[in-house]
Amino acid sequence: MSFALIFSGQGNQHPAMLPWLADDGRVQQMRTRLGVDDWRAALADPDWAANNAHAQTLLTALALAAWGQLAPHVSSPSVVAGYSVGELAAFSAAGVIDSEVAASLAPLRAAAMDESAARHPGGLLAVTGLAEPALVQLRAVTGLALAIRNGIESVVLGGPGAALEQAQHIATGQGAQCTRLRVNVASHTPWMQEAAERFSQVLADVPFRSPRIVLASNAADRILDAGAARTALAAQIARTVRWDECMQNIAERQVRCVLEVGPGQALTRMWNQRYPDIPARACDDFRSAAAIAAWLQAHED
């Protein structure tokens, strides 16, 4: 079996996500860390769900739990990647850091970002359908940074709230589709440089290993060794997420299919639009781990 494993970022978390997930030790530790008895009920509160510390802690732990429950039933993936905070789970799945370490790093990452955001308030705006010259002009006028690049005409801009409102007004007037993301930090922009530096200090004491599986990074193409992994995991907080390049790196491995672990199907939809000949599915589509394993096995060489 040759498949790619990709881990979602935050923004699409919902109470019914991962309906097949068992309440194992990782999930129980997450509930303790967050101080909630029922994480699904907690997610029903939009304000709680959108809280940066809650979202990063919950999504990392659930992704690790989901892959931990699924991995015994399938072969090892050929390549792994994570979208934004999804890199914590991806680095663990690739063998770079232990799953317990990845789960413990999520709230520390969120805390570093929240502390930086308190001094540099901001957010993110998804913009679709704006040609590159118009996008360059939009950034020049508003001063916003390119936070995420999903494709030539599908990006996420980050920066102060007033600039985001200005950009949304301009881009919408030019026919683009704009959506303010439910995050309260300007992730993956220079406004998060302090957070990246603080998280780098945290990672300095964390044991890292070279990846056992091909690992595509948001900030540094393919990760080849422990040093590069440590640097990239911190740097991506303040750098553009080049997801279009991650997808290209995955496709070049000639995988037979792609599995998204996390909430929703956002990465799956992006993949299927770009690479329709390589099917992708999201774990949220299935009702059991056995059904996911069966789908992957159906694409065996």
Side-chain angles (χ1 to χ4, degrees), residues 54-89:
H54 297 162
Q56 294 198 34
T57 300
L58 181 140
L59 292 175
T60 300
L62 294 184
L64 292 166
W67 176 237
Q69 293 173 28
L70 181 61
H73 306 290
V74 301
S75 61
S76 178
S78 299
V79 55
V80 180
Y83 190 92
S84 188
V85 71
E87 282 207 325
L88 285 174

Side-chain angles (χ1 to χ4, degrees), residues 11-63:
N12 292 315
Q13 53 269 25
H14 59 94
M17 63 181 283
L18 301 172
W20 51 272
L21 189 68
D23 191 29
D24 66 6
R26 291 188 180 93
V27 177
Q28 292 167 14
Q29 288 177 356
M30 176 206 71
R31 290 195 283 105
T32 299
R33 187 171 276 127
L34 289 173
V36 297
D37 293 327
D38 186 338
W39 62 270
R40 296 189 186 278
L43 281 178
D45 178 352
D47 291 332
W48 190 95
N51 179 280
N52 193 42
H54 297 162
Q56 294 198 34
T57 300
L58 181 140
L59 292 175
T60 300
L62 294 184

Side-chain angles (χ1 to χ4, degrees), residues 220-291:
D221 296 327
R222 180 178 171 182
I223 298 297
L224 298 177
D225 56 48
R230 182 181 283 106
T231 298
L233 194 57
Q236 61 107 282
I237 292 176
R239 291 187 188 174
T240 302
V241 171
R242 301 177 298 175
W243 190 247
D244 53 348
E245 293 183 11
C246 283
M247 289 192 289
Q248 182 178 344
N249 288 337
I250 291 170
E252 289 173 353
R253 304 301 301 179
Q254 298 183 329
V255 296
R256 297 293 298 272
C257 61
V258 176
L259 179 68
E260 177 183 358
V261 180
Q265 299 87 16
L267 301 184
T268 296
R269 287 194 296 270
M270 276 192 277
W271 179 273
N272 285 328
Q273 289 170 2
R274 183 163 179 164
Y275 301 104
D277 295 334
I278 305 174
R281 294 285 301 275
C283 281
D284 254 13
D285 292 341
F286 298 89
R287 304 300 299 180
S288 69

Side-chain angles (χ1 to χ4, degrees), residues 44-290:
D45 178 352
D47 291 332
W48 190 95
N51 179 280
N52 193 42
H54 297 162
Q56 294 198 34
T57 300
L58 181 140
L59 292 175
T60 300
L62 294 184
L64 292 166
W67 176 237
Q69 293 173 28
L70 181 61
H73 306 290
V74 301
S75 61
S76 178
S78 299
V79 55
V80 180
Y83 190 92
S84 188
V85 71
E87 282 207 325
L88 285 174
F91 278 46
S92 174
V96 172
I97 52 178
D98 294 334
S99 61
E100 295 79 6
V101 171
S104 68
L105 287 174
L108 299 178
R109 181 182 187 271
M113 296 174 71
D114 285 340
E115 183 177 315
S116 185
R119 289 189 291 274
H120 310 286
L124 299 174
L125 175 71
V127 181
T128 304
L130 202 62
E132 189 169 12
L135 180 62
V136 171
Q137 179 64 21
L138 179 66
R139 290 181 55 201
V141 170
T142 62
L144 293 174
L146 180 61
I148 301 174
R149 191 179 66 201
N150 295 319
I152 296 176
E153 296 186 6
S154 178
V155 302
V156 177
L157 303 179
L164 293 173
E165 292 180 8
Q166 180 187 16
Q168 184 167 1
H169 176 75
I170 295 172
T172 301
Q174 295 175 338
Q177 295 180 336
C178 298
T179 304
R180 282 291 294 269
L181 303 188
R182 288 187 60 81
V183 296
N184 53 11
V185 295
S187 311
H188 312 298
T189 73
W191 286 277
M192 285 291 108
Q193 185 57 41
E194 293 176 5
E197 292 171 359
R198 179 179 171 185
F199 195 54
S200 178
Q201 294 173 354
V202 171
L203 297 182
D205 296 325
V206 175
F208 274 68
R209 298 178 292 269
S210 296
R212 297 193 301 263
I213 300 167
V214 174
L215 177 60
S217 164
N218 292 175
D221 296 327
R222 180 178 171 182
I223 298 297
L224 298 177
D225 56 48
R230 182 181 283 106
T231 298
L233 194 57
Q236 61 107 282
I237 292 176
R239 291 187 188 174
T240 302
V241 171
R242 301 177 298 175
W243 190 247
D244 53 348
E245 293 183 11
C246 283
M247 289 192 289
Q248 182 178 344
N249 288 337
I250 291 170
E252 289 173 353
R253 304 301 301 179
Q254 298 183 329
V255 296
R256 297 293 298 272
C257 61
V258 176
L259 179 68
E260 177 183 358
V261 180
Q265 299 87 16
L267 301 184
T268 296
R269 287 194 296 270
M270 276 192 277
W271 179 273
N272 285 328
Q273 289 170 2
R274 183 163 179 164
Y275 301 104
D277 295 334
I278 305 174
R281 294 285 301 275
C283 281
D284 254 13
D285 292 341
F286 298 89
R287 304 300 299 180
S288 69

